[in-house]
Amino acid sequence: MNDKPRLHSAGPHHLDRARDLRPLIESEAAEAEALGRLTEPVVTALHEAGLFDVWLPAPLGGAELSPPELLAVFEELSYADPSTGWVVMATTLENGTGGAYLGDEAVEDIFRGPRTPLFAGQGTRPGTAVPEDGGFRLTGRWSFASAMPHARYVHSLGVVEGTGEERIFITPVEDAKLLGNWDVLGLRATGSVDYAIDGAFVPESRTHPFAQREPLRGGAIYRLGLLDQALICHSAWALGVGRRLLDELVRHVAARAGRPGQLAAGDTFHTGLARAEAAHRAARALVRETWDDTARTLDAGGPLSTRQETMVRLALNHATSTLTDVAGFAYTSGGTTALRDGLLQRLFRDAHAGAQHITSGPQALRECGRELAGLAPGEEWAVFSLEPRRP
């Protein structure tokens, strides 16, 4: 009998709520960009709709959506506004994995309130953790802490001194010094500031191994591990923003139909639009195909194969490169409207900012090609590269 945890499903309820919030999110997007963070009406509405608990384990009262359900919710929110989609995917990944992997004492303290707490931080470039009785002293400086203006807890990667083990450390936001430094091209409303922590004590129960794949609570989605779960976020984000760019471009063209001299009126534009539409739909189909396959394996209690992990990475990379192609086409086809401050310009900037994320970088793409070519026998994925399988 299979005693492995299965996938949990909450149905379309959260997707419906995300769609209902689109008018509010759209109306607040320009102000959010000017503020460098989401507006309070949007944050409150996301809380009230339960959209900050979509990744939280069901035993903690969360929705614990399956990978296909998470893809749909994040795609919808990113369509409404790229920064809003980014903030929700980042903080829910972190509070969801925290709920699944942290010790009982930490979970009872952190998740005991009536409202799901928001996490922010950075899980790639590590700080240093010095062991101390009952925990660790964490020191370091991190960048790109998306959602930090709204966070109660900070999620940071650290390397344990003496062992070299990589762990995630959860600290109250008061233990972090916010350094700002978020003067960027796009995704300005994510508030992804730099921060530093100087010798904060972190109880052991508020930490977990970076590579942890077996949940202490919750179902099969947490068996993906932190990095593979993050691929869900960025795949959905790229699809949502790409779809919005194409839809806005079509609206722009329709509003100017019949005017002389319009760049978008010629055969070259029509051919380009057809190709962009096909490319976006193909990228979306690949993302959906790979995650549907992954979900079936997880639900059956099995581990992912190296090829399955290759394909979800490849799908993300392809969706992201397709997004930047779509963004470039929309920008040039939008003429002076895209040049000026407005939605087309903001979508263009946000698309290129999000494409800089390390999960969509060239290293993973090269490794995907090596594995697909059959040149990585006996190897498995370790974050962004393939390494010999551990015994």
Side-chain angles (χ1 to χ4, degrees), residues 92-377:
T92 57
L93 169 67
E94 291 165 5
N95 67 29
T97 53
Y101 302 143
L102 294 177
D104 289 342
E105 184 178 347
V107 167
E108 289 171 8
D109 184 42
I110 291 172
F111 295 100
R112 65 184 175 182
R115 176 173 280 189
T116 300
L118 303 190
F119 288 35
Q122 205 249 45
T124 52
R125 296 171 185 167
T128 300
V130 179
E132 188 172 304
D133 288 347
F136 306 86
R137 289 282 174 186
L138 180 66
T139 298
R141 174 171 174 158
W142 297 262
S143 301
F144 308 117
S146 301
M148 187 65 90
H150 313 290
R152 285 176 54 196
Y153 295 96
V154 181
H155 158 117
S156 307
L157 178 67
V159 173
V160 178
E161 190 175 79
T163 69
E165 181 191 22
E166 293 184 327
R167 298 186 74 86
I168 294 294
F169 297 82
I170 306 300
T171 54
V173 71
E174 292 79 13
D175 285 348
K177 180 179 180 181
L178 307 191
L179 303 175
N181 196 28
W182 191 237
D183 182 9
V184 288
L185 175 73
L187 292 176
R188 294 176 181 172
T190 62
S192 304
V193 298
D194 291 4
Y195 67 99
I197 295 175
D198 185 13
F201 180 72
V202 189
E204 186 168 359
S205 71
R206 290 194 177 210
T207 78
H208 66 79
F210 175 79
Q212 186 161 339
R213 285 180 178 262
E214 290 301 326
L216 302 181
R217 55 199 70 80
I221 187 171
Y222 308 107
R223 294 179 58 234
L224 286 168
L226 183 56
L227 189 280
D228 281 7
Q229 290 177 78
L231 305 180
I232 299 171
C233 298
H234 295 283
S235 299
W237 182 86
L239 296 178
V241 180
R243 181 71 267 159
R244 186 60 184 268
L245 274 160
L246 288 169
D247 289 352
E248 288 305 314
L249 178 59
V250 169
R251 292 186 188 102
H252 169 80
V253 171
R256 287 155 181 78
R259 297 183 187 180
Q262 291 295 310
L263 176 66
D267 292 344
T268 299
F269 166 75
H270 299 155
T271 300
L273 179 61
R275 287 175 173 163
E277 181 71 26
H280 174 77
R281 287 177 180 264
R284 188 175 191 272
L286 180 60
V287 169
R288 287 289 177 173
E289 175 189 297
T290 55
W291 280 106
D292 285 349
D293 178 58
T294 296
R296 286 190 293 270
T297 297
L298 290 172
D299 199 43
L304 300 191
S305 67
T306 299
R307 176 56 54 88
Q308 285 176 306
E309 292 207 55
T310 294
M311 290 308 301
V312 292
R313 285 163 171 77
L314 181 61
L316 166 59
N317 199 289
H318 181 60
T320 304
S321 63
T322 300
L323 168 62
T324 57
D325 290 345
V326 167
F329 176 73
Y331 181 80
T332 56
S333 300
T336 55
T337 297
L339 177 66
R340 298 181 187 278
D341 186 30
L343 182 54
L344 271 176
Q345 188 212 80
R346 187 171 75 243
L347 290 169
F348 174 82
R349 291 188 285 102
D350 288 348
H352 285 279
Q356 295 291 332
H357 197 271
I358 191 171
T359 53
S360 300
Q363 180 183 0
L365 184 61
R366 290 194 303 268
E367 292 288 79
C368 286
R370 188 163 70 87
E371 198 279 321
L372 290 166
L375 301 177

Side-chain angles (χ1 to χ4, degrees), residues 34-47:
L35 291 171
R37 57 174 172 79
L38 302 189
T39 65
E40 287 308 310
V42 167
V43 173
T44 298
L46 291 166
H47 271 297

